[in-house]
Coordinates of all heavy atoms in Angstrom, one line a residue:
M458 N -14.8 -3.1 -0.1 CA -13.6 -2.5 -0.6 C -13.4 -1.3 0.4 O -14.2 -0.6 0.8 CB -13.8 -2.0 -2.0 CG -12.7 -1.1 -2.5 SD -11.3 -1.7 -3.5 CE -11.9 -3.2 -4.2
R459 N -12.1 -1.2 0.8 CA -11.8 -0.1 1.7 C -11.5 1.2 0.9 O -11.0 1.1 -0.2 CB -10.5 -0.5 2.5 CG -10.1 0.6 3.4 CD -9.2 0.1 4.4 NE -8.8 1.2 5.3 CZ -8.5 1.0 6.5 NH1 -8.7 -0.1 7.1 NH2 -8.2 2.1 7.2
S460 N -12.0 2.3 1.5 CA -11.8 3.5 0.7 C -11.1 4.6 1.6 O -11.1 4.5 2.8 CB -13.1 4.1 0.3 OG -13.9 4.4 1.4
F461 N -10.4 5.5 1.0 CA -9.7 6.6 1.6 C -9.5 7.7 0.6 O -9.6 7.5 -0.6 CB -8.4 6.2 2.3 CG -7.5 5.3 1.5 CD1 -6.6 5.9 0.6 CD2 -7.6 4.0 1.6 CE1 -5.8 5.1 -0.2 CE2 -6.8 3.2 0.9 CZ -5.9 3.7 0.0
D462 N -9.3 8.9 1.1 CA -9.1 10.0 0.2 C -7.6 10.2 -0.2 O -6.7 10.0 0.6 CB -9.5 11.3 0.9 CG -11.0 11.4 1.2 OD1 -11.7 10.8 0.4 OD2 -11.4 12.0 2.1
V463 N -7.4 10.4 -1.5 CA -6.1 10.6 -2.0 C -6.1 11.9 -2.9 O -7.0 12.0 -3.8 CB -5.6 9.4 -2.9 CG1 -4.3 9.7 -3.6 CG2 -5.6 8.2 -2.1
E464 N -5.2 12.8 -2.7 CA -5.1 14.0 -3.5 C -4.6 13.6 -4.9 O -3.5 13.0 -5.0 CB -4.2 15.0 -2.9 CG -4.7 15.7 -1.6 CD -5.8 16.7 -1.8 OE1 -5.7 17.4 -2.9 OE2 -6.7 16.8 -1.0
N465 N -5.3 14.0 -5.9 CA -4.8 13.7 -7.3 C -5.5 14.7 -8.2 O -6.4 15.5 -7.8 CB -5.1 12.3 -7.7 CG -6.5 11.9 -7.7 OD1 -7.4 12.6 -8.2 ND2 -6.9 10.8 -7.0
N466 N -5.3 14.5 -9.5 CA -5.8 15.4 -10.6 C -7.1 14.8 -11.2 O -7.6 15.4 -12.2 CB -4.8 15.8 -11.6 CG -3.7 16.6 -11.1 OD1 -3.9 17.3 -10.1 ND2 -2.5 16.4 -11.6
A467 N -7.5 13.7 -10.8 CA -8.7 13.0 -11.4 C -10.0 13.7 -10.9 O -10.0 14.5 -10.0 CB -8.7 11.5 -10.9
A468 N -11.1 13.4 -11.6 CA -12.4 13.9 -11.3 C -12.8 13.4 -9.9 O -12.4 12.3 -9.5 CB -13.4 13.5 -12.3
D469 N -13.6 14.2 -9.2 CA -14.1 13.7 -7.9 C -14.9 12.4 -8.0 O -15.6 12.2 -9.0 CB -15.0 14.8 -7.2 CG -14.2 15.9 -6.7 OD1 -12.9 15.8 -6.6 OD2 -14.8 17.0 -6.4
G470 N -14.8 11.6 -7.0 CA -15.6 10.4 -7.0 C -14.7 9.2 -6.8 O -13.5 9.3 -6.8
P471 N -15.4 8.0 -6.7 CA -14.6 6.8 -6.5 C -13.7 6.4 -7.7 O -14.1 6.6 -8.8 CB -15.6 5.7 -6.2 CG -16.9 6.3 -6.6 CD -16.8 7.8 -6.7
A472 N -12.6 5.8 -7.4 CA -11.7 5.4 -8.5 C -10.8 4.3 -7.9 O -10.6 4.2 -6.7 CB -10.8 6.5 -9.0
Q473 N -10.2 3.5 -8.7 CA -9.3 2.4 -8.3 C -7.9 2.9 -8.6 O -7.6 3.4 -9.7 CB -9.6 1.1 -9.0 CG -10.8 0.4 -8.4 CD -11.0 -1.0 -9.0 OE1 -10.5 -1.3 -10.1 NE2 -11.6 -1.8 -8.3
F474 N -6.9 2.6 -7.7 CA -5.5 3.0 -7.9 C -4.6 1.8 -7.6 O -5.0 0.9 -6.9 CB -5.2 4.1 -6.9 CG -5.8 5.4 -7.3 CD1 -7.1 5.7 -6.8 CD2 -5.1 6.3 -8.0 CE1 -7.7 6.9 -7.1 CE2 -5.7 7.6 -8.4 CZ -7.0 7.9 -7.9
S475 N -3.5 1.8 -8.2 CA -2.5 0.8 -8.0 C -1.2 1.5 -7.5 O -0.9 2.6 -7.9 CB -2.1 0.2 -9.4 OG -1.1 -0.7 -9.2
V476 N -0.5 0.9 -6.5 CA 0.7 1.4 -6.0 C 1.7 0.3 -6.0 O 1.5 -0.8 -5.5 CB 0.5 2.0 -4.5 CG1 1.8 2.5 -4.0 CG2 -0.6 3.0 -4.5
R477 N 2.9 0.6 -6.6 CA 3.9 -0.5 -6.6 C 4.4 -0.8 -5.2 O 4.5 0.1 -4.4 CB 5.1 0.0 -7.5 CG 4.7 0.2 -9.0 CD 5.9 0.6 -9.8 NE 6.9 -0.4 -9.8 CZ 7.0 -1.5 -10.5 NH1 6.0 -1.8 -11.4 NH2 8.0 -2.4 -10.4
P478 N 4.7 -2.1 -5.0 CA 5.1 -2.5 -3.6 C 6.3 -1.8 -3.1 O 6.4 -1.5 -1.9 CB 5.5 -4.0 -3.8 CG 4.7 -4.4 -5.0 CD 4.6 -3.2 -5.9
E479 N 7.3 -1.4 -3.9 CA 8.4 -0.6 -3.5 C 8.1 0.8 -3.1 O 9.0 1.5 -2.5 CB 9.6 -0.7 -4.5 CG 9.3 -0.2 -5.8 CD 8.7 -1.3 -6.8 OE1 8.3 -2.3 -6.3 OE2 8.7 -1.0 -8.0
N480 N 6.9 1.3 -3.5 CA 6.6 2.7 -3.1 C 5.8 2.8 -1.8 O 5.4 3.8 -1.4 CB 5.7 3.3 -4.3 CG 6.6 3.6 -5.5 OD1 7.8 3.7 -5.4 ND2 6.0 3.6 -6.6
I481 N 5.4 1.6 -1.3 CA 4.7 1.6 0.0 C 5.8 1.3 1.1 O 6.6 0.4 0.9 CB 3.7 0.5 0.0 CG1 2.6 0.7 -1.1 CG2 3.0 0.4 1.4 CD1 1.7 -0.5 -1.3
R482 N 5.8 2.0 2.2 CA 6.8 1.8 3.2 C 6.2 1.7 4.6 O 5.0 2.1 4.8 CB 7.8 3.0 3.2 CG 7.2 4.3 3.5 CD 8.1 5.5 3.1 NE 7.4 6.7 3.0 CZ 6.8 7.1 1.9 NH1 6.9 6.4 0.8 NH2 6.1 8.3 1.9
M483 N 6.9 1.1 5.5 CA 6.4 1.0 6.8 C 6.5 2.4 7.5 O 7.4 3.1 7.3 CB 7.4 0.1 7.6 CG 7.5 -1.3 7.1 SD 6.1 -2.2 7.4 CE 6.8 -3.8 7.3
A484 N 5.4 2.7 8.1 CA 5.3 4.0 8.8 C 6.2 3.9 10.1 O 6.0 3.0 10.8 CB 3.9 4.4 9.2
S485 N 7.1 4.8 10.2 CA 8.1 4.7 11.3 C 7.8 5.6 12.5 O 8.4 5.5 13.5 CB 9.5 5.0 10.8 OG 9.6 6.2 10.2
E486 N 6.9 6.6 12.3 CA 6.6 7.5 13.4 C 5.1 7.5 13.7 O 4.3 7.1 12.9 CB 7.0 8.9 12.9 CG 8.4 9.1 12.4 CD 8.6 10.3 11.5 OE1 7.6 11.1 11.3 OE2 9.7 10.4 10.9
N487 N 4.8 8.0 14.9 CA 3.4 8.0 15.3 C 2.6 9.1 14.6 O 1.4 9.1 14.4 CB 3.2 8.2 16.8 CG 3.7 7.0 17.6 OD1 3.6 5.9 17.0 ND2 4.1 7.2 18.8
T488 N 3.4 10.2 14.2 CA 2.8 11.3 13.5 C 3.0 11.1 12.0 O 4.1 11.0 11.5 CB 3.4 12.6 13.9 OG1 3.4 12.7 15.3 CG2 2.7 13.8 13.3
P489 N 1.9 11.1 11.2 CA 2.0 10.9 9.7 C 2.8 12.0 9.1 O 2.7 13.2 9.5 CB 0.6 10.9 9.2 CG -0.3 10.7 10.4 CD 0.5 11.2 11.6
R490 N 3.6 11.7 8.1 CA 4.3 12.7 7.3 C 3.2 13.5 6.5 O 2.3 12.9 6.0 CB 5.2 12.0 6.3 CG 6.3 11.3 6.9 CD 7.2 10.7 5.8 NE 8.1 9.7 6.4 CZ 8.9 8.9 5.7 NH1 9.0 9.1 4.4 NH2 9.7 8.0 6.3
P491 N 3.4 14.8 6.4 CA 2.4 15.6 5.7 C 2.2 15.1 4.3 O 3.2 14.8 3.6 CB 3.0 17.0 5.7 CG 4.0 17.0 6.8 CD 4.5 15.6 7.0
G492 N 1.0 15.0 3.8 CA 0.7 14.6 2.5 C 0.7 13.1 2.2 O 0.5 12.7 1.0
T493 N 1.0 12.3 3.1 CA 1.0 10.8 2.9 C -0.3 10.2 3.2 O -1.1 10.7 4.0 CB 2.1 10.1 3.7 OG1 1.9 10.3 5.1 CG2 3.5 10.6 3.3
V494 N -0.5 9.0 2.5 CA -1.7 8.2 2.8 C -1.2 7.1 3.8 O -0.2 6.5 3.5 CB -2.2 7.6 1.5 CG1 -3.4 6.6 1.8 CG2 -2.6 8.6 0.5
R495 N -1.9 6.9 4.9 CA -1.5 6.0 5.9 C -2.6 5.0 6.1 O -3.8 5.3 6.2 CB -1.2 6.7 7.2 CG -0.2 6.0 8.0 CD 0.2 6.9 9.2 NE 1.6 7.1 9.2 CZ 2.3 7.2 10.3 NH1 1.8 7.2 11.4 NH2 3.6 7.3 10.2
I496 N -2.2 3.7 6.2 CA -3.2 2.6 6.4 C -2.7 1.5 7.3 O -1.5 1.2 7.2 CB -3.7 2.1 5.0 CG1 -4.9 1.2 5.1 CG2 -2.6 1.5 4.2 CD1 -5.6 0.9 3.8
R497 N -3.5 0.9 8.2 CA -3.0 -0.1 9.1 C -3.6 -1.4 8.6 O -4.7 -1.5 8.1 CB -3.5 0.2 10.5 CG -3.0 -0.7 11.5 CD -3.3 -0.2 12.9 NE -3.0 -1.1 14.0 CZ -1.8 -1.5 14.3 NH1 -0.7 -1.0 13.8 NH2 -1.6 -2.4 15.3
G498 N -2.8 -2.5 8.8 CA -3.3 -3.8 8.4 C -2.6 -5.0 9.1 O -1.6 -4.8 9.8
K499 N -3.1 -6.2 8.8 CA -2.6 -7.4 9.4 C -1.7 -8.1 8.4 O -2.0 -8.3 7.2 CB -3.7 -8.3 9.8 CG -3.3 -9.6 10.4 CD -4.5 -10.5 10.7 CE -4.3 -11.8 11.3 NZ -3.0 -12.4 11.2
V500 N -0.5 -8.5 8.8 CA 0.5 -9.2 8.0 C 0.0 -10.6 7.8 O -0.3 -11.4 8.7 CB 1.9 -9.2 8.6 CG1 2.8 -10.1 7.8 CG2 2.4 -7.8 8.7
C501 N -0.3 -11.0 6.5 CA -0.7 -12.3 6.1 C 0.4 -13.2 5.7 O 0.3 -14.4 5.9 CB -1.7 -12.2 5.0 SG -3.2 -11.3 5.4
H502 N 1.4 -12.7 5.1 CA 2.5 -13.5 4.6 C 3.8 -12.6 4.5 O 3.7 -11.4 4.1 CB 2.2 -14.0 3.2 CG 3.3 -14.9 2.6 ND1 3.5 -16.2 3.1 CD2 4.1 -14.7 1.7 CE1 4.5 -16.7 2.4 NE2 4.9 -15.8 1.5
Q503 N 4.9 -13.2 4.8 CA 6.2 -12.5 4.8 C 7.2 -13.4 4.2 O 7.4 -14.5 4.7 CB 6.5 -12.1 6.3 CG 7.6 -11.1 6.4 CD 7.7 -10.7 7.9 OE1 6.9 -11.0 8.7 NE2 8.8 -10.0 8.2
A504 N 7.8 -13.0 3.1 CA 8.8 -13.8 2.3 C 10.1 -13.1 2.2 O 10.2 -12.0 1.7 CB 8.2 -14.2 1.0
F505 N 11.1 -13.8 2.6 CA 12.5 -13.3 2.5 C 13.0 -13.5 1.1 O 12.8 -14.5 0.4 CB 13.4 -14.2 3.4 CG 14.8 -13.8 3.4 CD1 15.3 -12.6 3.9 CD2 15.8 -14.6 2.8 CE1 16.6 -12.2 3.9 CE2 17.1 -14.3 2.8 CZ 17.5 -13.1 3.4
H506 N 13.6 -12.4 0.5 CA 14.0 -12.4 -0.9 C 15.5 -11.8 -0.9 O 15.7 -10.8 -1.6 CB 13.1 -11.5 -1.8 CG 11.8 -12.1 -2.1 ND1 11.5 -12.6 -3.3 CD2 10.7 -12.4 -1.3 CE1 10.3 -13.2 -3.3 NE2 9.8 -13.0 -2.1
G507 N 16.4 -12.3 -0.1 CA 17.7 -11.8 -0.1 C 17.8 -10.5 0.7 O 17.6 -10.5 1.9
A508 N 18.1 -9.4 0.0 CA 18.3 -8.1 0.6 C 16.9 -7.5 0.9 O 16.8 -6.5 1.6 CB 19.0 -7.2 -0.3
T509 N 15.8 -8.1 0.4 CA 14.5 -7.5 0.7 C 13.5 -8.6 1.2 O 13.8 -9.8 1.1 CB 13.9 -6.9 -0.6 OG1 13.7 -7.9 -1.6 CG2 14.8 -5.7 -1.2
E510 N 12.4 -8.1 1.7 CA 11.3 -9.0 2.0 C 10.1 -8.5 1.3 O 9.9 -7.3 1.1 CB 11.0 -8.9 3.5 CG 12.0 -9.6 4.4 CD 11.7 -9.5 5.9 OE1 11.2 -8.4 6.3 OE2 12.0 -10.4 6.6
L511 N 9.2 -9.4 0.9 CA 7.9 -9.1 0.3 C 6.9 -9.4 1.3 O 6.8 -10.6 1.8 CB 7.7 -9.8 -1.0 CG 6.6 -9.4 -1.9 CD1 6.8 -7.9 -2.3 CD2 6.4 -10.2 -3.1
I512 N 6.1 -8.4 1.7 CA 5.1 -8.6 2.8 C 3.7 -8.3 2.3 O 3.5 -7.3 1.6 CB 5.4 -7.7 4.0 CG1 6.8 -7.9 4.5 CG2 4.4 -7.8 5.1 CD1 7.3 -6.9 5.5
R513 N 2.8 -9.3 2.5 CA 1.4 -9.1 2.1 C 0.6 -8.7 3.3 O 0.6 -9.4 4.3 CB 0.9 -10.4 1.5 CG -0.5 -10.2 0.9 CD -1.0 -11.5 0.2 NE -0.8 -12.7 0.9 CZ -0.7 -13.9 0.4 NH1 -0.7 -14.0 -0.9 NH2 -0.5 -14.9 1.2
V514 N -0.1 -7.6 3.2 CA -0.8 -7.0 4.3 C -2.3 -6.8 4.0 O -2.6 -6.3 2.9 CB -0.2 -5.6 4.7 CG1 -1.0 -5.0 5.9 CG2 1.3 -5.7 5.0
E515 N -3.2 -7.4 4.8 CA -4.6 -7.3 4.6 C -5.1 -6.1 5.4 O -4.9 -5.9 6.6 CB -5.3 -8.5 5.2 CG -6.8 -8.5 5.0 CD -7.4 -9.7 5.6 OE1 -6.8 -10.8 5.7 OE2 -8.6 -9.6 6.1
C516 N -5.7 -5.1 4.7 CA -6.3 -3.9 5.2 C -7.8 -3.9 5.0 O -8.2 -3.3 4.0 CB -5.6 -2.7 4.6 SG -3.8 -2.7 4.7
G517 N -8.5 -4.6 5.8 CA -10.0 -4.8 5.4 C -10.1 -5.7 4.2 O -9.5 -6.8 4.2
S518 N -10.8 -5.2 3.2 CA -10.9 -6.0 2.0 C -9.8 -5.6 1.0 O -9.7 -6.2 -0.1 CB -12.3 -5.8 1.3 OG -12.4 -4.4 1.0
L519 N -8.9 -4.7 1.3 CA -7.8 -4.3 0.5 C -6.6 -5.1 0.8 O -6.3 -5.3 2.0 CB -7.6 -2.8 0.8 CG -6.4 -2.1 0.0 CD1 -6.7 -2.1 -1.4 CD2 -6.2 -0.7 0.6
M520 N -5.9 -5.6 -0.2 CA -4.6 -6.4 0.1 C -3.5 -5.6 -0.5 O -3.6 -5.2 -1.7 CB -4.7 -7.8 -0.6 CG -3.6 -8.7 -0.3 SD -3.6 -9.2 1.5 CE -5.0 -10.3 1.5
L521 N -2.5 -5.3 0.3 CA -1.3 -4.6 -0.2 C -0.1 -5.4 -0.2 O 0.1 -6.2 0.8 CB -1.1 -3.3 0.6 CG -2.1 -2.3 0.6 CD1 -1.8 -1.2 1.6 CD2 -2.3 -1.7 -0.8
M522 N 0.8 -5.3 -1.1 CA 2.1 -5.9 -1.1 C 3.2 -4.9 -0.9 O 3.1 -3.8 -1.5 CB 2.4 -6.6 -2.5 CG 1.4 -7.7 -2.8 SD 1.5 -9.1 -1.7 CE 3.0 -9.9 -2.2
V523 N 4.1 -5.1 0.0 CA 5.1 -4.2 0.4 C 6.5 -4.8 0.2 O 6.7 -5.9 0.7 CB 4.9 -3.7 1.9 CG1 5.9 -2.7 2.3 CG2 3.5 -3.2 2.1
R524 N 7.4 -4.1 -0.5 CA 8.8 -4.6 -0.6 C 9.6 -3.7 0.4 O 9.6 -2.5 0.2 CB 9.3 -4.5 -2.0 CG 10.7 -5.1 -2.1 CD 11.1 -5.2 -3.5 NE 10.2 -6.0 -4.4 CZ 10.2 -7.3 -4.5 NH1 10.9 -8.1 -3.7 NH2 9.3 -7.9 -5.3
T525 N 10.3 -4.3 1.3 CA 11.0 -3.6 2.3 C 12.4 -4.3 2.6 O 12.6 -5.4 2.1 CB 10.2 -3.5 3.6 OG1 11.0 -2.8 4.6 CG2 9.9 -4.9 4.2
A526 N 13.3 -3.5 3.2 CA 14.6 -4.1 3.5 C 14.4 -5.3 4.4 O 13.5 -5.4 5.2 CB 15.4 -3.1 4.3
A527 N 15.3 -6.3 4.2 CA 15.1 -7.6 4.9 C 15.7 -7.6 6.4 O 16.6 -8.3 6.7 CB 15.8 -8.7 4.1
N528 N 15.1 -6.7 7.2 CA 15.5 -6.7 8.6 C 14.3 -6.4 9.5 O 14.5 -5.9 10.6 CB 16.6 -5.6 8.8 CG 16.1 -4.2 8.4 OD1 15.0 -4.0 8.0 ND2 17.0 -3.3 8.6
S529 N 13.1 -6.7 9.0 CA 11.9 -6.3 9.8 C 11.6 -7.3 10.9 O 10.8 -7.0 11.8 CB 10.7 -6.1 8.9 OG 10.8 -6.6 7.7
G530 N 12.1 -8.5 10.8 CA 11.7 -9.5 11.8 C 10.3 -10.0 11.6 O 9.7 -9.6 10.6
A531 N 9.8 -10.9 12.5 CA 8.4 -11.4 12.3 C 7.5 -10.2 12.7 O 7.6 -9.6 13.7 CB 8.2 -12.5 13.3
L532 N 6.5 -10.0 11.8 CA 5.5 -9.0 12.0 C 4.1 -9.5 12.1 O 3.8 -10.6 11.6 CB 5.5 -8.0 10.8 CG 6.9 -7.3 10.5 CD1 6.8 -6.6 9.1 CD2 7.2 -6.4 11.6
D533 N 3.2 -8.8 12.8 CA 1.8 -9.1 13.0 C 0.9 -8.1 12.4 O 0.2 -8.4 11.5 CB 1.6 -9.3 14.5 CG 0.1 -9.8 14.8 OD1 -0.4 -10.6 14.0 OD2 -0.4 -9.4 15.8
H534 N 0.9 -6.9 13.0 CA 0.2 -5.8 12.4 C 1.2 -4.7 12.1 O 2.2 -4.5 12.8 CB -0.8 -5.2 13.4 CG -2.0 -6.1 13.5 ND1 -2.0 -7.3 14.3 CD2 -3.2 -6.0 12.9 CE1 -3.2 -7.8 14.2 NE2 -4.0 -7.1 13.4
V535 N 0.9 -3.9 11.0 CA 1.8 -2.9 10.6 C 1.0 -1.6 10.2 O -0.2 -1.8 9.8 CB 2.8 -3.3 9.4 CG1 3.7 -4.3 9.9 CG2 2.0 -3.7 8.2
E536 N 1.7 -0.5 10.2 CA 1.1 0.7 9.6 C 1.9 1.1 8.4 O 3.2 1.1 8.5 CB 1.1 1.8 10.7 CG 0.2 3.0 10.2 CD -0.3 3.8 11.4 OE1 0.2 3.7 12.5 OE2 -1.1 4.7 11.2
L537 N 1.3 1.3 7.3 CA 2.0 1.6 6.0 C 1.6 3.0 5.6 O 0.6 3.6 6.0 CB 1.5 0.6 5.0 CG 1.6 -0.9 5.3 CD1 0.9 -1.7 4.3 CD2 3.0 -1.3 5.5
E538 N 2.5 3.5 4.7 CA 2.2 4.8 4.1 C 2.8 4.9 2.7 O 3.7 4.1 2.4 CB 2.8 5.9 5.0 CG 4.3 6.0 5.1 CD 4.7 7.1 6.0 OE1 3.9 7.8 6.7 OE2 6.0 7.4 6.0
F539 N 2.2 5.8 1.9 CA 2.7 6.0 0.6 C 2.4 7.4 0.2 O 1.4 8.0 0.7 CB 2.3 5.0 -0.4 CG 0.8 5.0 -0.6 CD1 0.2 5.7 -1.6 CD2 0.0 4.1 0.1 CE1 -1.2 5.7 -1.8 CE2 -1.4 4.1 -0.1 CZ -2.0 4.9 -1.0
A540 N 3.1 8.0 -0.8 CA 2.8 9.3 -1.3 C 1.7 9.2 -2.3 O 1.7 8.3 -3.2 CB 4.1 9.9 -2.0
P541 N 0.7 10.1 -2.3 CA -0.4 10.1 -3.3 C 0.2 10.1 -4.7 O -0.5 9.5 -5.6 CB -1.1 11.4 -3.0 CG -0.8 11.7 -1.6 CD 0.6 11.2 -1.3
A542 N 1.3 10.8 -5.0 CA 1.9 10.8 -6.3 C 2.2 9.4 -6.8 O 2.4 9.2 -8.1 CB 3.1 11.7 -6.4
D543 N 2.4 8.4 -5.9 CA 2.8 7.1 -6.3 C 1.6 6.2 -6.7 O 1.7 5.1 -7.1 CB 3.6 6.4 -5.2 CG 5.0 7.0 -5.0 OD1 5.5 7.5 -6.0 OD2 5.5 7.0 -3.9
A544 N 0.4 6.7 -6.4 CA -0.9 6.0 -6.8 C -1.2 6.3 -8.2 O -1.4 7.5 -8.6 CB -2.0 6.4 -5.8
V545 N -1.3 5.3 -9.0 CA -1.6 5.4 -10.4 C -3.1 4.9 -10.7 O -3.4 3.8 -10.3 CB -0.7 4.6 -11.3 CG1 -1.0 4.7 -12.8 CG2 0.8 5.1 -11.1
Q546 N -3.9 5.8 -11.3 CA -5.3 5.4 -11.5 C -5.4 4.2 -12.5 O -4.7 4.3 -13.5 CB -6.1 6.6 -11.9 CG -7.6 6.2 -12.0 CD -8.5 7.4 -12.2 OE1 -8.0 8.5 -12.3 NE2 -9.8 7.2 -12.2
V547 N -6.2 3.2 -12.1 CA -6.4 2.1 -13.0 C -7.6 2.3 -13.8 O -8.7 2.7 -13.3 CB -6.5 0.8 -12.1 CG1 -6.8 -0.4 -13.0 CG2 -5.3 0.6 -11.3
R548 N -7.5 2.1 -15.1 CA -8.6 2.3 -16.0 C -9.1 1.0 -16.5 O -8.3 0.1 -16.7 CB -8.2 3.2 -17.2 CG -7.9 4.6 -16.8 CD -7.6 5.4 -18.0 NE -7.5 6.8 -17.7 CZ -6.3 7.4 -17.2 NH1 -5.3 6.6 -17.0 NH2 -6.3 8.7 -16.9
D549 N -10.5 0.8 -16.6 CA -11.0 -0.4 -17.2 C -10.6 -0.6 -18.6 O -10.6 0.4 -19.4 CB -12.5 -0.4 -17.0 CG -13.0 -0.7 -15.6 OD1 -12.3 -1.3 -14.9 OD2 -14.1 -0.2 -15.3
S550 N -10.3 -1.8 -19.0 CA -10.0 -2.1 -20.4 C -11.2 -2.3 -21.2 O -12.2 -3.0 -20.7 CB -9.1 -3.3 -20.4 OG -8.9 -3.8 -21.7
A551 N -11.3 -1.9 -22.4 CA -12.4 -2.1 -23.3 C -12.5 -3.6 -23.6 O -13.6 -4.1 -24.0 CB -12.3 -1.3 -24.6
E552 N -11.4 -4.3 -23.6 CA -11.4 -5.8 -23.9 C -11.8 -6.6 -22.7 O -12.0 -7.8 -22.8 CB -10.0 -6.2 -24.4 CG -9.7 -5.6 -25.7 CD -8.3 -5.0 -25.7 OE1 -7.5 -5.3 -24.9 OE2 -8.1 -4.2 -26.6
R553 N -11.9 -6.0 -21.6 CA -12.3 -6.8 -20.3 C -13.7 -7.2 -20.4 O -14.6 -6.5 -20.8 CB -12.1 -5.9 -19.1 CG -12.2 -6.6 -17.8 CD -11.8 -5.6 -16.8 NE -12.0 -6.3 -15.5 CZ -11.8 -5.7 -14.3 NH1 -11.6 -4.4 -14.3 NH2 -12.0 -6.3 -13.2
I554 N -13.9 -8.5 -20.1 CA -15.3 -9.1 -20.2 C -15.9 -9.1 -18.8 O -15.4 -9.3 -17.8 CB -15.3 -10.5 -20.7 CG1 -14.7 -10.4 -22.1 CG2 -16.6 -11.1 -20.7 CD1 -14.5 -11.8 -22.8

């Protein structure tokens, strides 16, 4: 599992987070925006959905889905970013076996 630091109000230590595909965006500059999480990966699948595209990106053992405007063209490797506030901590369910 790939790990990185995210500023949040949770206790210190490892945790799992979920980020909605529409909250992840293509990084457009070489210099990261202050406070954003940035990660690079290989495009595994790209699907046209009218005005948007859904792109699946492999970042080590982490798989991210990105919804973006439908004008990106064919992609190979991309750099993605998202705001830490968009990362929602996932809690284990008591019913999970």
Side-chain angles (χ1 to χ4, degrees):
M458 172 95 22
R459 181 160 177 145
S460 65
F461 45 86
D462 293 329
V463 175
E464 291 286 327
N465 62 49
N466 294 329
D469 286 345
Q473 288 187 332
F474 289 86
S475 175
V476 181
R477 295 187 57 87
E479 58 271 16
N480 291 334
I481 302 171
R482 62 194 162 274
M483 303 284 203
S485 58
E486 307 160 4
N487 290 335
T488 306
R490 295 180 195 177
T493 59
V494 175
R495 209 171 235 217
I496 190 165
R497 184 167 171 73
K499 179 183 184 331
V500 174
C501 298
H502 183 72
Q503 196 170 348
F505 178 71
H506 287 253
T509 64
E510 287 180 323
L511 193 59
I512 303 169
R513 185 173 48 204
V514 181
E515 180 183 330
C516 306
S518 61
L519 178 68
M520 190 66 71
L521 295 175
M522 297 295 286
V523 182
R524 185 170 304 279
T525 180
N528 61 1
S529 20
L532 300 171
D533 184 34
H534 285 82
V535 294
E536 194 160 6
L537 307 171
E538 66 180 10
F539 62 89
D543 292 330
V545 178
Q546 188 170 1
V547 177
R548 293 185 172 83
D549 285 332
S550 170
E552 290 132 20
R553 190 173 177 187
I554 298 176

